[in-house]
Protein backbone atom coordinates (compact mmCIF):
# COMPACT_ATOMS: atom_id res chain seq x y z
CA UNK A 1 0.00 0.00 0.00
CA UNK A 2 3.05 2.27 0.06
CA UNK A 3 2.63 3.59 -3.50
CA UNK A 4 -1.06 4.23 -2.96
CA UNK A 5 -1.68 7.71 -1.60
CA UNK A 6 -5.44 7.41 -1.17
CA UNK A 7 -8.21 4.83 -1.33
CA UNK A 8 -9.31 6.73 -4.44
CA UNK A 9 -6.20 5.38 -6.19
CA UNK A 10 -7.42 1.81 -5.72
CA UNK A 11 -8.93 0.26 -8.84
CA UNK A 12 -11.27 -1.77 -6.64
CA UNK A 13 -12.68 1.47 -5.19
CA UNK A 14 -12.99 3.06 -8.66
CA UNK A 15 -14.83 0.02 -10.03
CA UNK A 16 -17.10 0.10 -6.97
CA UNK A 17 -18.05 3.69 -7.79
CA UNK A 18 -18.79 2.67 -11.39
CA UNK A 19 -21.09 -0.08 -10.16
CA UNK A 20 -22.96 2.39 -7.94
CA UNK A 21 -23.58 4.65 -10.93
CA UNK A 22 -24.89 1.75 -13.02
CA UNK A 23 -27.14 0.63 -10.16
CA UNK A 24 -28.65 4.07 -9.72
CA UNK A 25 -29.29 4.15 -13.45
CA UNK A 26 -31.11 0.80 -13.46
CA UNK A 27 -33.29 1.43 -10.40
CA UNK A 28 -34.69 4.63 -11.94
CA UNK A 29 -37.04 2.42 -13.96
CA UNK A 30 -38.38 0.51 -10.93
CA UNK A 31 -42.06 0.90 -10.05
CA UNK A 32 -42.80 3.84 -7.77
CA UNK A 33 -44.00 1.58 -4.96
CA UNK A 34 -40.55 -0.06 -4.90
CA UNK A 35 -38.69 3.17 -4.20
CA UNK A 36 -38.37 2.43 -0.47
CA UNK A 37 -38.26 -1.35 -0.67
CA UNK A 38 -36.05 -3.44 -2.97
CA UNK A 39 -34.79 -0.35 -4.81
CA UNK A 40 -33.47 1.10 -1.56
CA UNK A 41 -31.83 -2.19 -0.57
CA UNK A 42 -30.12 -2.45 -3.96
CA UNK A 43 -28.76 1.08 -3.73
CA UNK A 44 -27.53 0.53 -0.18
CA UNK A 45 -25.74 -2.71 -1.10
CA UNK A 46 -24.03 -1.03 -4.06
CA UNK A 47 -22.90 1.96 -1.98
CA UNK A 48 -21.59 -0.43 0.67
CA UNK A 49 -18.92 -1.81 -1.67
CA UNK A 50 -16.75 1.28 -2.24
CA UNK A 51 -17.61 2.58 1.23
CA UNK A 52 -16.17 -0.51 2.92
CA UNK A 53 -13.10 -0.40 0.69
CA UNK A 54 -12.51 3.20 1.75
CA UNK A 55 -13.15 2.46 5.41
CA UNK A 56 -10.83 -0.53 5.39
CA UNK A 57 -8.09 1.50 3.77
CA UNK A 58 -8.55 4.17 6.40
CA UNK A 59 -8.06 1.69 9.24
CA UNK A 60 -4.37 1.59 8.30
CA UNK A 61 -3.68 -2.11 8.96
CA UNK A 62 -3.70 -4.97 6.49
CA UNK A 63 -5.79 -7.09 8.88
CA UNK A 64 -8.51 -4.44 9.18
CA UNK A 65 -8.39 -3.71 5.47
CA UNK A 66 -8.80 -7.42 4.72
CA UNK A 67 -11.82 -7.55 7.06
CA UNK A 68 -13.53 -4.65 5.27
CA UNK A 69 -12.73 -6.16 1.87
CA UNK A 70 -14.60 -9.27 3.02
CA UNK A 71 -17.58 -7.08 3.88
CA UNK A 72 -17.38 -5.35 0.49
CA UNK A 73 -17.33 -8.75 -1.25
CA UNK A 74 -20.37 -9.82 0.78
CA UNK A 75 -22.17 -6.66 -0.28
CA UNK A 76 -21.40 -7.51 -3.90
CA UNK A 77 -23.06 -10.91 -3.52
CA UNK A 78 -26.01 -9.28 -1.76
CA UNK A 79 -26.29 -6.76 -4.61
CA UNK A 80 -26.17 -9.47 -7.27
CA UNK A 81 -28.88 -11.45 -5.49
CA UNK A 82 -31.13 -8.42 -5.17
CA UNK A 83 -30.68 -7.55 -8.84
CA UNK A 84 -31.62 -11.11 -9.85
CA UNK A 85 -34.73 -10.83 -7.67
CA UNK A 86 -35.63 -7.50 -9.26
CA UNK A 87 -35.15 -9.01 -12.72
CA UNK A 88 -37.30 -12.04 -11.81
CA UNK A 89 -40.03 -9.69 -10.55
CA UNK A 90 -39.98 -7.78 -13.83
CA UNK A 91 -38.60 -4.55 -12.34
CA UNK A 92 -35.55 -4.63 -14.63
CA UNK A 93 -36.37 -4.44 -18.30
CA UNK A 94 -33.05 -3.16 -19.69
CA UNK A 95 -31.31 -6.48 -20.36
CA UNK A 96 -28.16 -4.85 -21.67
CA UNK A 97 -27.68 -2.72 -18.56
CA UNK A 98 -28.54 -5.69 -16.33
CA UNK A 99 -25.88 -7.84 -18.01
CA UNK A 100 -23.34 -5.01 -17.80
CA UNK A 101 -23.87 -4.67 -14.06
CA UNK A 102 -23.51 -8.43 -13.57
CA UNK A 103 -20.24 -8.38 -15.53
CA UNK A 104 -18.98 -5.44 -13.44
CA UNK A 105 -19.92 -7.25 -10.23
CA UNK A 106 -18.05 -10.37 -11.32
CA UNK A 107 -14.97 -8.34 -12.27
CA UNK A 108 -15.09 -6.44 -8.98
CA UNK A 109 -15.36 -9.67 -7.03
CA UNK A 110 -12.28 -11.08 -8.76
CA UNK A 111 -10.36 -7.85 -8.19
CA UNK A 112 -11.24 -7.78 -4.50
CA UNK A 113 -10.26 -11.46 -4.14
CA UNK A 114 -6.90 -10.80 -5.76
CA UNK A 115 -6.24 -7.67 -3.71
CA UNK A 116 -7.24 -9.46 -0.52
CA UNK A 117 -4.84 -12.34 -1.23
CA UNK A 118 -1.98 -9.87 -1.72
CA UNK A 119 -2.78 -8.25 1.62
CA UNK A 120 -2.71 -11.59 3.40
CA UNK A 121 0.61 -12.70 1.89
Amino acid sequence: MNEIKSYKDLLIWQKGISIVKLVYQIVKAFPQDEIYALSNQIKRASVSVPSNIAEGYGRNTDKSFSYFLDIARGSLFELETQLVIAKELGFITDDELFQEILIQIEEESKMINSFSKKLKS
Side-chain angles (χ1 to χ4, degrees):
M1 286 190 346
N2 294 344
E3 64 278 340
I4 298 169
K5 295 181 172 94
S6 166
Y7 62 87
K8 295 176 191 171
D9 295 330
L10 298 170
L11 294 178
I12 56 174
W13 181 83
Q14 294 169 13
K15 169 122 5 227
I17 294 296
S18 296
I19 291 170
V20 171
K21 293 193 294 193
L22 290 172
V23 162
Y24 270 73
Q25 186 178 340
I26 207 164
V27 298
K28 280 183 187 176
F30 279 29
Q32 191 64 28
D33 63 339
E34 277 301 312
I35 199 161
Y36 298 112
L38 187 56
S39 172
N40 188 43
Q41 288 292 331
I42 289 171
K43 290 189 284 187
R44 288 172 52 134
S46 71
V47 168
S48 175
V49 176
S51 298
N52 276 291
I53 292 167
E55 184 171 357
Y57 180 86
R59 295 293 174 119
N60 240 4
T61 68
D62 288 351
K63 185 176 180 181
S64 288
F65 198 3
S66 181
Y67 171 77
F68 281 94
L69 289 177
D70 288 343
I71 294 171
R73 188 176 31 248
S75 293
L76 271 177
F77 296 145
E78 178 183 359
L79 171 61
E80 183 177 34
T81 298
Q82 293 165 349
L83 288 169
V84 168
I85 291 167
K87 177 75 170 152
E88 292 289 320
L89 292 172
F91 299 160
I92 296 175
T93 55
D94 188 334
D95 290 330
E96 191 174 314
L97 183 55
F98 177 69
Q99 290 303 318
E100 177 61 25
I101 293 173
L102 293 182
I103 289 167
Q104 295 295 319
I105 288 171
E106 183 177 344
E107 288 175 2
E108 177 76 325
S109 180
K110 289 177 182 177
M111 290 169 65
I112 289 172
N113 284 340
S114 176
F115 195 91
S116 185
K117 284 179 186 175
K118 287 178 186 173
L119 276 180
K120 292 175 182 174
S121 61

